[in-house]
Amino acid sequence: MTTETLVRRSANPARKTQAKQQGLGLGARMRRHWQLYAMLAIPLVWLAIFAYWPMYGVVIAFKDYNVVDGILGSRWVGLKHFERFVESYQFWRLIRNTVVLHVYELVATFPLPIILALGLNMVRRRWYSRSVQLITYAPHFISTVVVVGLIVVLVDPNTGVANQLLGLFGLGPVDLLGNPGSFRHLYVWSGAWQTMGFSAIIYLAALTSVSPELHEAAIVDGASRLRRIWHVDLPAIRPVAVILLILNIGSILSVGFEKVLLMQNSLNLEASEVIDTYVYKLGFASQVPQFSYATAIGLFRSVVGLVLLVLANTFARKFAKSSLW
Amino acid sequence: MTTTTQAPAPVRETRSDRIVMICNYAALGLFTLAVLYPLVYVFSASLSDPKNVASGKVWLWPVGFSLDAFKAVFDYGSIVSGFSNSLIYAIGGALLATVLTLFAAYPLSRQGLPGKGLIMALFVFTMMFSGGLIPTYLVVDRVGLLNTRWAIILPAALAVWNVIITRTYFQVTIPEELLEAARVDGCSDFGFFWRVVLPLSKPIVAVNMLFYAVAQWNSWFSALIYLTNEHLFPLQLVLRQILIQHNVDPSQIRDTSELIRLKELQEQLKFSLIVIATIPPLLIYPFVQKHFVKGAMIGSLKG
């Protein structure tokens, strides 16, 4: 976002002053653009209902919500639900599972698309890089349900290929999906399988903007291929990488919730219960829905996420000289 | 997308460079095969005789050709209805969401629109903070959408990320001079949008339609919480029941001779289901890959 705003700002002043020179006040300029506001009104109404109204609904985290009294009528209870969550025996387990799963995912899969993009960028045979791209993008378009279905059939204790492979090494059939120890690996590496190719696109785009002269100059200076990757290609990728990293850190507590929920079963719960799945269960899967308590936990998660995002951005602006805002 | 941006090397390659190159080609090849293998395996398994799959004889190619599992899938009523529901959600959702996105992105791409920064901030803020699952559910309930098709389409009808991509596209491709020329000819903002901007924006309209359609096609969670009427279930929710929760309802398979081999067939059903559910997105994907890539690139580079 930053590069773009910079570019626009530098081009903008002339236009702004032009409008001002025409002697139009704010009201007149707004009236002149009434049709644009009319267009904007429709998405804004949507935004108000489906994005900001729920934000208001968050107040039920501080109330004892019940359907009869509604959001307004329910009784205020202060931080009761937050205290209950922090003191509950679930708290540390949920935090640990959520953070471990996300950090593992981040460390394992963040560098992969960069490596893939650098590799693809080196390839000079077009048909080769084309086919690699065509195939590696494909899993991105497969739905999460089907990907988890794939995992289920591949690691099936009786018929899955994964277990037959283990059998070749003399290891007995293992129920990988029903095992807390292997849940995280399955989750992270199936995610890598699915997203790595498509995530590389962004880095490839950054690499295509590197001017060929830089490479030529480096070659004339006798730089080897690896040195050119280090000194020319990587710096070109850095701004994009930093921004994606910040976004990733900001969502550290909201790991791919839908996929976790799909992969979850009673056997791997010990490793697979994360904040979001817990919120879902409290709100929808339990006999007595605990809307207020679940909302408080969700709010806790969002606020921590927002704080992390701001922190990561501040650090990035200081040390990596690129940031989200 | 072409990736060959480097100039053809003017200097002879050194030995170490050549080794790096060979390793690179090999690593890319291996990785590609690793991505491909699960897909090929599932495809082969779905075409094999259920017995051979159960006993682990299938590794790469189909062993003992059989189409029984595919036949069983089409006997399964909820899959057919799920498929048509998904089509409705994907097409309806994509149309509505694309219109909303264009309506948001075009004014926000215009220079000198008072209040633009504030409105943009309103949009972007929702990317970082949201009310969360339960308040959103309460709103959908309150608006009276529960258990209607609208509950699937409306709450998902705008993705801020797409607004940013689309806005950037407009900024890059619609020159201000064009607008000024149109103004001189007495063209209104609506007229300009309709007659000039839209015809110039076919690629980004296509990207939006496809992003939204694919997202709807693949979504299941909103259906899980907003719908209880099984006739409205999208395909993915039906798939979840069969693939992941192992709920194959024997009464849904009509043919009695199938029932005898039900156990094996149930297993086999999963493979053929995965194949069937994967084919529609994969079929359109090579045709639209160029647009997707271009859209993702525009968004990432400038957004």
Side-chain angles (χ1 to χ4, degrees):
Chain A
M1 246 167 271
T2 37
T3 45
E4 180 218 7
T5 30
L6 280 179
V7 172
R8 266 188 308 124
R9 288 232 172 96
S10 57
N12 223 355
R15 293 250 154 66
K16 262 195 178 151
T17 43
Q18 185 193 11
K20 274 187 190 143
Q21 274 162 2
Q22 288 171 347
L24 292 172
L26 183 68
R29 271 191 291 148
M30 287 181 72
R31 237 168 293 139
R32 201 174 110 181
H33 289 305
W34 71 270
Q35 293 183 329
L36 293 181
Y37 291 113
M39 283 172 84
L40 263 177
I42 301 167
L44 279 176
V45 167
W46 180 91
L47 201 70
I49 296 175
F50 291 106
Y52 283 96
W53 192 358
M55 282 189 210
Y56 160 73
V58 155
V59 297
I60 69 168
F62 306 94
K63 293 185 165 204
D64 267 336
Y65 176 79
N66 67 67
V67 188
V68 184
D69 297 331
I71 295 178
L72 275 179
S74 297
R75 199 163 47 88
W76 289 99
V77 293
L79 294 176
K80 182 179 113 181
H81 298 297
F82 294 89
E83 281 161 13
R84 183 179 153 203
F85 177 52
V86 173
E87 282 160 13
S88 80
Y89 75 100
Q90 290 277 10
F91 181 72
W92 286 112
R93 194 177 74 150
L94 289 176
I95 298 282
R96 194 193 62 217
N97 283 345
T98 313
V99 170
V100 169
L101 199 59
H102 192 82
V103 170
Y104 180 17
E105 188 184 25
L106 189 65
V107 171
T109 61
F110 188 74
L112 291 177
I114 300 181
I115 296 169
L116 179 63
L118 289 172
L120 277 170
N121 193 48
M122 273 203 276
V123 171
R124 261 193 251 105
R125 287 177 218 287
R126 273 181 74 152
W127 66 267
Y128 195 76
S129 86
R130 281 249 172 114
S131 11
V132 171
Q133 287 178 57
L134 190 75
I135 291 168
T136 55
Y137 293 172
H140 176 83
F141 295 90
I142 301 175
S143 75
T144 320
V145 171
V146 171
V147 169
V148 177
L150 257 174
I151 299 174
V152 169
V153 297
L154 289 178
V155 306
D156 187 282
N158 302 315
T159 59
V161 263
N163 266 299
Q164 288 169 40
L165 201 68
L166 285 177
L168 288 184
F169 296 104
L171 299 166
V174 190
D175 185 7
L176 287 170
L177 203 53
N179 182 349
S182 49
F183 170 81
R184 288 183 185 129
H185 307 295
L186 276 180
Y187 174 84
V188 166
W189 294 106
S190 62
W193 176 82
Q194 192 181 10
T195 58
M196 175 173 165
F198 203 76
S199 314
I201 291 179
I202 291 176
Y203 297 110
L204 272 172
L207 284 172
T208 40
S209 64
V210 175
S211 105
E213 282 95 31
L214 277 176
H215 277 286
E216 280 162 29
I219 292 171
V220 171
D221 287 346
S224 71
R225 211 167 262 287
L226 288 177
R227 289 212 143 253
R228 278 192 284 138
I229 289 179
W230 186 254
H231 291 291
V232 180
D233 286 342
L234 273 181
I237 285 180
R238 205 178 61 174
V240 183
V242 170
I243 285 174
L244 290 180
L245 195 61
I246 298 170
L247 285 174
N248 245 310
I249 291 170
S251 62
I252 205 154
L253 292 193
S254 49
V255 280
F257 156 63
E258 297 197 349
K259 197 171 151 206
V260 178
L261 192 64
L262 287 172
M263 289 179 66
Q264 201 170 65
N265 57 43
S266 51
L267 298 172
N268 63 25
L269 214 55
E270 194 187 316
S272 67
E273 189 81 296
V274 294
I275 297 179
D276 280 326
T277 55
Y278 191 60
V279 169
Y280 162 73
K281 280 181 193 157
L282 284 177
F284 298 102
S286 69
Q287 290 294 318
V288 189
Q290 309 185 48
F291 280 162
S292 281
Y293 186 44
T295 304
I297 300 173
L299 180 62
F300 174 86
R301 204 257 295 135
S302 302
V303 169
V304 175
L306 194 61
V307 170
L308 284 174
L309 184 73
V310 172
L311 279 181
N313 194 62
T314 314
F315 273 108
R317 199 163 40 189
K318 227 174 195 168
F319 298 111
K321 306 254 181 317
S322 77
S323 60
L324 217 51
W325 63 80
Chain B
M1 178 180 23
T2 57
T3 54
T4 46
T5 49
Q6 295 175 20
V11 188
R12 201 164 46 88
E13 284 201 326
T14 64
R15 231 182 91 177
S16 68
D17 277 0
R18 188 159 302 162
I19 293 172
V20 169
M21 250 346 221
I22 291 170
C23 290
N24 181 38
Y25 273 83
L28 287 177
L30 276 178
F31 172 66
T32 310
L33 289 180
V35 170
L36 204 55
Y37 179 72
L39 299 174
V40 172
Y41 170 76
V42 167
F43 186 68
S44 298
S46 73
L47 290 174
S48 301
D49 192 307
K51 278 196 207 82
N52 293 327
V53 181
S55 59
K57 284 191 189 127
V58 178
W59 280 97
L60 190 61
W61 305 118
V63 181
F65 186 79
S66 148
L67 282 174
D68 291 355
F70 281 98
K71 284 182 201 138
V73 167
F74 288 107
D75 277 346
Y76 215 84
S78 54
I79 289 177
V80 179
S81 84
F83 200 91
S84 53
N85 281 332
S86 277
L87 271 183
I88 295 173
Y89 298 139
I91 294 170
L95 283 174
L96 182 69
T98 304
V99 171
L100 278 183
T101 304
L102 291 171
F103 278 7
Y106 175 67
L108 291 173
S109 76
R110 283 278 296 270
Q111 290 168 348
L113 182 75
K116 189 179 77 168
L118 176 74
I119 296 171
M120 195 65 204
L122 279 178
F123 276 98
V124 172
F125 181 67
T126 63
M127 290 174 89
M128 299 186 225
F129 188 84
S130 75
L133 187 61
I134 284 150
T136 309
Y137 174 85
L138 291 178
V139 166
V140 172
D141 183 11
R142 189 71 202 281
V143 183
L145 297 182
L146 277 195
N147 240 340
T148 67
R149 291 191 195 279
W150 290 108
I152 305 302
I153 290 177
L154 269 182
L158 192 95
V160 177
W161 185 243
N162 291 27
V163 174
I164 294 175
I165 291 177
T166 312
R167 185 187 73 137
T168 312
Y169 179 91
F170 287 144
Q171 281 170 349
V172 173
T173 55
I174 311 288
E176 194 84 352
E177 288 73 21
L178 215 54
L179 176 66
E180 271 151 29
R183 274 240 179 83
V184 172
D185 293 341
C187 193
S188 69
D189 281 324
F190 282 151
F192 183 70
F193 177 74
W194 187 250
R195 270 177 258 158
V196 182
V197 175
L198 275 187
L200 286 175
S201 306
K202 279 177 202 142
I204 199 70
V205 172
V207 166
N208 270 305
M209 295 281 282
L210 292 163
F211 268 139
Y212 285 121
V214 170
Q216 270 294 358
W217 181 267
N218 288 341
S219 91
W220 61 278
F221 185 69
S222 52
L224 178 69
I225 57 173
Y226 297 140
L227 299 182
T228 46
N229 180 355
E230 292 193 12
H231 297 294
L232 301 179
F233 280 3
L235 182 64
Q236 304 295 334
L237 204 57
V238 180
L239 289 181
R240 168 176 169 269
Q241 289 171 347
I242 303 173
L243 283 177
I244 298 161
Q245 300 183 320
H246 311 281
N247 290 340
V248 177
D249 178 3
S251 67
Q252 286 233 21
I253 298 173
R254 279 184 251 122
D255 198 329
T256 41
S257 63
E258 301 290 341
L259 276 170
I260 302 164
R261 295 167 49 213
L262 191 64
K263 184 74 194 94
E264 276 174 349
L265 200 66
Q266 271 189 17
E267 286 306 308
Q268 191 78 344
L269 200 60
K270 291 185 188 163
F271 290 99
S272 48
L273 261 183
I274 292 175
V275 170
I276 286 175
T278 310
I279 281 175
L282 282 191
L283 269 189
I284 46 165
Y285 145 73
F287 298 102
V288 300
Q289 188 208 8
K290 250 194 314 197
H291 290 304
F292 266 125
V293 171
K294 206 181 280 171
M297 270 168 66
I298 290 171
S300 60
L301 275 188
K302 304 278 186 167

